[in-house]
Amino acid sequence: EGGHSFAMVGSPALDFALGDHREIASRVSLRHHLRLPTAAEIGPLFEGFPEDAIERIHEETGGRMRQVMALRRRLLELVKQRKWFPEEVTSRQIGTVAKHFLVRAA
């Protein structure tokens, strides 16, 4: 009655955190798990990059948007510094950047 609506975005662990508190969990009306994007779906974030480089970005990140965006920031930084030209980036270069700038979970 007259309450507020909130959208919370997070990992499935958020469900467990809410579930521990019945007074909060009973107020959650909708849960929706999003699927990870495909290489084609992240492609527009990497305009000008070759298709094989985008495929490698997807492979390295698994489509996890936090990692996609972290890798994008680093790649665009290299482009801005004029160290790389997007259309010349290779799959191997993507792998090297990912190896140094993405945190791997065990």
Side-chain angles (χ1 to χ4, degrees):
E1 293 182 34
H4 293 52
S5 297
F6 295 95
M8 294 187 286
V9 179
S11 69
L14 185 59
D15 251 351
F16 294 113
L18 292 175
D20 288 344
H21 303 280
R22 284 185 14 201
E23 65 280 3
I24 297 171
S26 66
R27 290 175 169 85
V28 176
S29 61
L30 175 68
R31 289 176 178 84
H32 181 73
H33 293 278
L34 297 174
R35 66 173 176 73
L36 295 173
T38 64
E41 290 169 332
I42 67 167
L45 295 170
F46 298 93
E47 188 176 334
F49 283 75
E51 203 63 39
D52 65 325
I54 295 169
E55 289 286 339
R56 182 66 181 265
I57 291 165
H58 187 265
E59 178 184 318
E60 292 288 342
T61 63
R64 291 176 296 278
M65 287 307 292
R66 186 179 312 198
Q67 289 188 333
V68 169
M69 297 310 288
L71 192 51
R72 179 179 184 267
R73 277 190 299 279
R74 182 61 185 148
L75 294 171
L76 293 181
E77 186 179 307
L78 291 168
V79 169
K80 184 178 177 182
Q81 294 172 3
R82 298 190 186 275
K83 294 182 179 183
W84 285 2
F85 296 100
E87 63 277 359
E88 297 175 2
V89 174
T90 66
S91 174
R92 185 174 181 166
Q93 288 173 310
I94 297 295
T96 300
V97 173
K99 178 179 171 185
H100 292 287
F101 292 97
L102 292 180
V103 176
R104 302 282 184 208

